[in-house]
Amino acid sequence: MREAGFTDTRVYGVEGPARALLKATEQHTGESLTGSRMFTSAPAAARMAEPYPDLLAAGSHLLAVGRI
């Protein structure tokens, strides 16, 4: 992004490790977690992890945002 001339760049995890955890839990229990406390707390956990670039490696999709 910097080489392309972008400034103020940030990278966000679009699909992080919480998805794998939720999916594994659903497979193990055989029940959908949609609407559960675990499901609804996943976005809050993702927001708390955003400032830690090392955690981005646990995600499978990333989104880079910057200014020209």
Side-chain angles (χ1 to χ4, degrees):
M1 297 265 308
R2 287 185 196 121
E3 289 179 22
F6 288 90
T7 61
D8 299 324
T9 58
R10 291 205 52 178
V11 178
Y12 298 93
V14 176
E15 183 180 285
R19 182 186 184 287
L21 174 63
L22 291 171
K23 186 174 181 177
T25 303
E26 286 182 335
Q27 289 175 342
H28 179 73
T29 63
E31 297 179 19
S32 173
L33 294 176
T34 303
S36 70
R37 286 184 78 194
M38 183 182 234
F39 185 86
T40 58
S41 64
R47 283 190 290 279
M48 288 188 289
E50 280 180 357
Y52 303 98
D54 293 344
L55 294 177
L56 289 175
S60 55
H61 295 92
L62 303 176
L63 172 68
V65 178
R67 296 177 188 227
I68 292 185

